[in-house]
Amino acid sequence: MAKTSRTRILMPATARKGETIEITAIVQHDMETGFRRTENGELIARDIIRDFQVLFNGKEILRAEFHPAQSANPMMSFNVLAVQSGVFEFNWRGDNGYSATNQSTLTVTQ
Amino acid sequence: MNIRKRRLLVALASLLGLYGWPIARASRLDAQLAMNKIINARPVEDGGILLDIPPLIENGNSVPIQVEVLRPMSSSSYVRAIHLVAEENPLPNVLSVYLSPQLGRAKLATRIRLATTQRVWAIAETSDGTFMRTYANTTVTTAACFEG
């Protein structure tokens, strides 16, 4: 079974047309770098989220490639220009079959 | 060999630069190669990016960083990608984000790991194929990547 974990999206539910909103997406993940060693000197295998994608009404608007330098519980904050109402979809994919998804709706008023 | 003895040996070996770090740690050359790969011999100008990172970092495991590219985001001209490169991290590539005009502003905030005191670069690519870059110096007191 694929691994998954909790995700959290912080964004306003409504916005005026033409307003720039801020969206913060957080996902629970240890982001094991692959550079750490156990007490016996053995390398701990890398286990990270590699890919983060944001879709608006089914169209990709942002994609990020994560590396081991991304902190544990990756957080990404970005802006979106409110033009029309719709659904944001957030997808995370990573090592060892990791996959998580979340959705959030924005209502745009005139 | 008991664990305490082993730890002592490892500590001594790392002091002499024989253990762990030299193998895993990237050099500035690696960072330069990573940046060259991103830029791919296209024109680069310095500046045009606001890179906000604390000058003094207590915990390298979670460093808040904010980047804003001072360019408009319209369908005809926009910032296509933002890359972060850390010169002294074991892997110099930190983050690559691909943007679209729908974002309205080329502004990102995230949290990264820094292995040691170093220079962090932000590189931006515009839709017309030109690049911008800037850097910030940071001092890290507790390193990431190898501890906790």
Side-chain angles (χ1 to χ4, degrees):
Chain A
M1 213 182 108
K3 279 204 313 173
T4 191
S5 62
R6 284 174 59 195
T7 62
R8 182 131 196 245
I9 307 299
L10 305 169
M11 60 174 269
T14 60
R16 285 226 178 111
K17 193 172 173 160
E19 189 186 337
T20 304
I21 61 161
E22 187 174 278
I23 299 180
T24 301
I26 306 166
V27 56
Q28 192 180 41
H29 198 290
D30 287 344
M31 298 294 280
E32 185 59 57
T33 62
F35 296 111
R36 293 198 311 154
R37 286 173 189 276
T38 62
E39 283 203 340
N40 299 319
E42 291 147 17
L43 272 180
I44 304 168
R46 193 191 79 184
D47 184 6
I48 64 168
I49 293 176
R50 288 307 307 261
D51 193 77
F52 170 57
Q53 181 196 38
V54 184
L55 306 166
F56 180 66
N57 287 343
K59 187 172 175 267
E60 184 180 282
I61 58 167
L62 180 142
R63 188 167 64 79
E65 275 167 30
F66 290 167
H67 296 280
Q70 194 72 22
S71 295
N73 303 324
M75 179 275 273
M76 180 68 70
S77 204
F78 55 94
N79 290 119
V80 173
L81 184 66
V83 175
Q84 53 167 324
S85 301
V87 179
F88 289 95
E89 189 185 320
F90 305 84
N91 297 312
W92 293 265
R93 264 171 244 298
D95 296 336
N96 303 314
Y98 179 89
S99 167
T101 188
N102 200 338
Q103 287 195 340
S104 193
T105 303
L106 177 74
T107 305
V108 174
T109 57
Q110 289 298 319
Chain B
M1 183 173 1
N2 66 30
I3 284 182
R4 191 175 285 178
K5 223 176 209 174
R6 192 190 163 84
R7 274 198 185 145
L8 185 69
L9 272 179
V10 167
L12 277 173
S14 13
L15 271 181
L16 294 170
L18 296 174
Y19 185 84
W21 278 79
I23 304 159
R25 190 174 172 182
S27 66
R28 283 200 187 154
L29 185 66
D30 288 337
Q32 196 59 55
L33 289 175
M35 274 196 274
N36 288 350
K37 206 173 162 195
I38 291 166
I39 294 165
N40 199 10
R42 282 166 291 181
V44 190
E45 57 180 81
D46 288 313
I49 304 173
L50 294 179
L51 178 59
D52 190 11
I53 182 167
L56 181 67
I57 295 154
E58 246 176 68
N59 181 3
N61 276 305
S62 184
V63 181
I65 184 166
Q66 190 171 306
V67 194
E68 182 170 8
V69 185
L70 304 172
R71 280 291 178 97
M73 293 289 269
S74 68
S75 51
S76 57
S77 169
Y78 62 98
V79 179
R80 190 189 282 160
I82 296 175
H83 306 270
L84 298 178
V85 172
E87 286 187 351
E88 306 283 342
N89 268 15
L91 186 72
N93 299 75
V94 169
L95 179 70
S96 291
V97 184
Y98 302 92
L99 314 171
S100 65
Q102 282 87 341
L103 303 186
R105 265 173 104 179
K107 187 179 174 191
L108 299 170
T110 188
R111 292 186 295 239
I112 63 167
R113 290 174 167 137
L114 291 176
T116 184
T117 295
Q118 60 181 303
R119 185 178 279 186
V120 178
W121 289 88
I123 301 151
E125 181 186 356
T126 60
S127 55
D128 58 24
T130 61
F131 282 79
M132 290 172 280
R133 69 176 167 191
T134 193
Y135 67 84
N137 285 308
T138 59
T139 302
V140 179
T141 52
T142 310
C145 303
F146 303 103
E147 294 152 43

